[in-house]
Amino acid sequence: MHLSRPRLWRSRSAQRLGVQAIFGSVVALLLLYAVSRAAQLDMDFGFLRGPAGFTIANDWVFSYQSNESRLTAYLVGVWNTVRLVVVGILLATLLGVVAGVARLSGNWLVARLATLYVEAVRNTPLLVQIVFWWLAVFLTLPQIAEQRGLFGIVFVSNRALALPWLAPRGLAALWLLVVLAGLVAGWLVRRARLAREERTGLPARAGLWGAATALLIAGVGFVATGLPLEPNTPEIIRSGTNIQRYEGGLSITPQFAAVLIALVTYTGTFIAEIVRGSIQALPKGQSEAAAALGLSSYQRMTLIVLPQALRTMIPPLTNQFLNLNKNSSLAVVVGYSELFFISTVVINNAGHAVPMFVLVIGTYQVLNLMISAGMNYLNARVQLVGH
């Protein structure tokens, strides 16, 4: 008795191919429609070469003049976004780790305070928090004419927080190359010490040797290049009897501070929950074995618990870092000159909205891909390798 073959449309492989063909056709039609619509739009980016005609209040490191091109203004906005995101990621990670560990503390008050912080901040919209820090905190500081100084070198007002800083001079660029060479040499020394430890079994203090090598090379290079950094203290610029602005040093504007604090405290709550969940996912035997060896609570957390929990932390941490990068566009509400704010100013002055939004989307894509690439590399390094 011969079994009849199933009809073609009842075959599972044929059904899968059919579904894929339909889905591929729909995607192709959508792409074709998008390309045809884009061909009808004005996608000429030549207008970016024209003079910007506006000033940027939050430029940092790179000086900017209003007669420079719109592209230069946009790059200043990108730089402002990058420094906000980088500092925000570092501080949010630190705050999130501390809050996450604190939620698991045996101290009742510490645990409850960490829980209160997490539950209160993460359930409040980020936009509301930015506006709160801007209006209720920083704009209530004394006006610049009534500013408060500390030792004549630190000034606080609703215009800025002016701090002493280090200004480059002379062979500063050459010294930076020496510092990079020192970091590479420190990394090589660390690897060599780790290899020695694996070969002999004796403690090698690899991190200490690597850091000492990098610092030694940087210090020798600093002296050899003629001390390329000098102190730069802020000064008060007056016009008659009125204080106009601060000059020199490092000025932290209220816009930058409000957005940074809001991003850090908001993202830190989600990182705290990631840290808490990752620690609780570990078997309790890890902590109990470390306690049996006589390790202190700090040693158990830093040497045993957190290194193992890091393997499960990194993927959700990547999502939070990407969210912080995208949420930085909310800085437009307080007038911080990040890339989205600069783009809206360019659109208002010169038009060409579609090319500018395409440029903004592409920039955020590049920044997010860079963050993802770095986190994926870190994830690959900390994962256990199967044999």
Side-chain angles (χ1 to χ4, degrees), residues 275-359:
V275 171
R276 181 179 67 87
S278 299
I279 292 176
Q280 289 181 324
L282 290 176
K284 291 184 178 181
Q286 298 290 324
S287 297
E288 294 171 352
L293 292 174
L295 299 181
S296 64
S297 299
Y298 175 78
Q299 290 175 324
R300 292 199 300 270
M301 185 60 64
T302 57
L303 300 178
I304 305 297
V305 176
L306 285 179
Q308 295 185 77
L310 187 63
R311 299 188 181 101
T312 56
M313 286 183 199
I314 291 180
L317 278 180
T318 303
N319 292 334
Q320 295 307 317
F321 293 166
L322 297 179
N323 286 337
L324 189 148
N325 181 44
K326 292 178 288 186
N327 288 336
S328 66
S329 61
L330 294 175
V332 69
V333 300
V334 295
Y336 176 67
S337 301
E338 43 79 49
L339 69 92
F340 185 67
F341 178 84
I342 297 297
S343 300
T344 57
V345 175
V346 171
I347 291 172
N348 291 333
N349 289 353
H352 303 278
V354 174
M356 283 305 303
F357 275 111
V358 170
L359 185 60

Side-chain angles (χ1 to χ4, degrees), residues 76-285:
V76 172
V78 173
W79 169 243
N80 285 340
T81 297
V82 169
R83 71 184 178 110
L84 175 64
V85 170
V86 170
V87 176
I89 286 176
L90 294 176
L91 295 180
T93 303
L94 178 61
L95 177 62
V97 171
V98 172
V101 173
R103 289 204 66 182
L104 301 175
S105 173
N107 187 304
W108 183 89
L109 181 60
V110 171
R112 292 305 179 272
L113 287 176
T115 301
L116 177 63
Y117 155 68
V118 170
E119 297 299 334
V121 175
R122 73 171 178 172
N123 292 316
T124 305
L126 176 58
L127 183 60
V128 173
Q129 296 184 41
I130 293 175
V131 175
F132 168 80
W133 285 104
W134 167 246
L135 293 178
V137 178
F138 292 105
L139 287 189
T140 60
L141 293 174
Q143 296 184 2
I144 191 169
E146 305 168 353
Q147 54 82 34
R148 298 172 183 173
L150 181 62
F151 306 117
I153 57 175
V154 177
F155 304 99
V156 180
S157 70
N158 60 7
R159 186 76 61 86
L161 169 64
L163 303 169
W165 196 242
L166 295 175
R169 66 175 183 180
L171 301 176
L174 178 61
W175 179 67
L176 287 178
L177 294 178
V178 174
V179 171
L180 292 176
L183 292 175
V184 173
W187 178 71
L188 293 176
V189 169
R190 178 179 177 274
R191 290 196 61 181
R193 299 291 297 183
L194 287 175
R196 177 180 178 274
E197 182 176 0
E198 292 180 358
R199 186 173 61 254
T200 63
L202 299 175
R205 304 180 186 274
L208 181 61
W209 276 83
T213 302
L215 290 175
L216 178 62
I217 294 176
V220 172
F222 187 78
V223 176
T225 53
L227 308 179
L229 297 177
E230 62 179 356
N232 185 11
T233 57
E235 298 179 356
I236 298 175
I237 305 301
R238 300 178 182 270
S239 177
T241 59
N242 296 325
I243 301 175
Q244 296 295 321
R245 67 184 189 278
Y246 303 120
E247 190 171 280
L250 174 66
S251 293
I252 302 176
T253 62
Q255 296 93 331
F256 177 81
V259 177
L260 178 64
I261 293 176
L263 284 174
V264 168
T265 54
Y266 182 76
T267 308
T269 60
F270 295 95
I271 295 178
E273 290 298 275
I274 292 171
V275 171
R276 181 179 67 87
S278 299
I279 292 176
Q280 289 181 324
L282 290 176
K284 291 184 178 181

